[in-house]
């Protein structure tokens, strides 16, 4: 009796891919530079809003602008905390949990501020 079964060579089916997901050095440098530039623009622009609000007290102290100030503070935190932590995570991913916690907290505070501003604008347009 002849054995007609086909023998298959065992292949390594590990879950780790042969190519890594990390960017090349040039791509990493470009991403880090772009995020740091964006972070600086976000912080400077929102700090300018906060400084103007603090300096021009009487003209800007309206109820409708307090939500804008809240969003400016949330965006400063986004630019000063979340984006630099993301850059740190690209360079050395040792503390992913801390990044995800802070990123989620800061991003959600900015989104909640935007939602409140939208509700306030809706109220101002339709109820006044």
């Amino acid at each position: 009796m002849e054995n007609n079964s086909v023998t298959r060579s065992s292949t390594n089916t590990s879950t780790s891919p042969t190519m890594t997901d990390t960017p090349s050095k040039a791509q990493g440098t470009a991403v880090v530079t772009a995020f740091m530039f964006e972070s600086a623009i976000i912080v400077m622009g929102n700090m300018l809003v906060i400084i103007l609000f603090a300096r021009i007290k009487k003209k800007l102290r309206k109820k409708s602008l307090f939500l804008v100030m809240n969003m400016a503070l949330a965006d400063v935190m986004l630019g000063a905390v979340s984006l630099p932590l993301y850059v740190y995570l690209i360079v050395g991913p040792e503390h992913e949990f801390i990044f995800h916690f802070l990123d989620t907290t800061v991003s959600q505070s900015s989104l909640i501020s935007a939602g409140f501003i939208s509700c306030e604008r809706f109220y101002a347009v339709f109820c006044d």
Side-chain angles (χ1 to χ4, degrees):
M1 184 175 235
E2 192 176 315
N3 187 358
N4 289 332
S5 64
V6 177
T7 59
R8 295 184 182 182
S9 63
S10 66
T11 58
N12 187 4
T13 58
S14 66
T15 58
S16 63
T18 56
M19 296 180 66
T20 60
D21 292 338
T22 58
S24 69
K25 188 173 182 175
Q27 290 172 334
T29 304
V31 168
V32 167
T33 303
F35 277 126
M36 292 310 291
F37 182 71
E38 182 180 11
S39 177
I41 295 294
I42 289 171
V43 170
M44 286 188 297
N46 285 298
M47 286 303 292
L48 182 63
V49 169
I50 293 168
I51 290 169
L52 287 175
F53 186 79
R55 288 259 170 135
I56 307 172
K57 295 179 181 178
K58 294 180 182 178
K59 291 181 182 178
L60 295 178
R61 296 281 170 116
K62 298 177 185 176
K63 289 181 184 179
S64 63
L65 291 178
F66 283 117
L67 288 173
V68 174
M69 290 307 303
N70 184 26
M71 187 167 189
L73 286 171
D75 287 345
V76 164
M77 293 300 294
L78 182 74
V81 175
S82 186
L83 283 176
L85 278 176
Y86 182 71
V87 169
Y88 174 75
L89 189 66
I90 290 173
V91 175
E94 290 92 19
H95 306 289
E96 276 189 53
F97 174 75
I98 295 171
F99 164 72
H100 288 296
F101 174 75
L102 289 174
D103 183 51
T104 302
T105 303
V106 171
S107 298
Q108 290 301 316
S109 66
S110 182
L111 288 172
I112 289 169
S113 295
F116 280 137
I117 290 171
S118 297
C119 291
E120 189 269 333
R121 293 288 94 200
F122 176 80
Y123 178 78
V125 168
F126 288 108
C127 295
D128 279 344

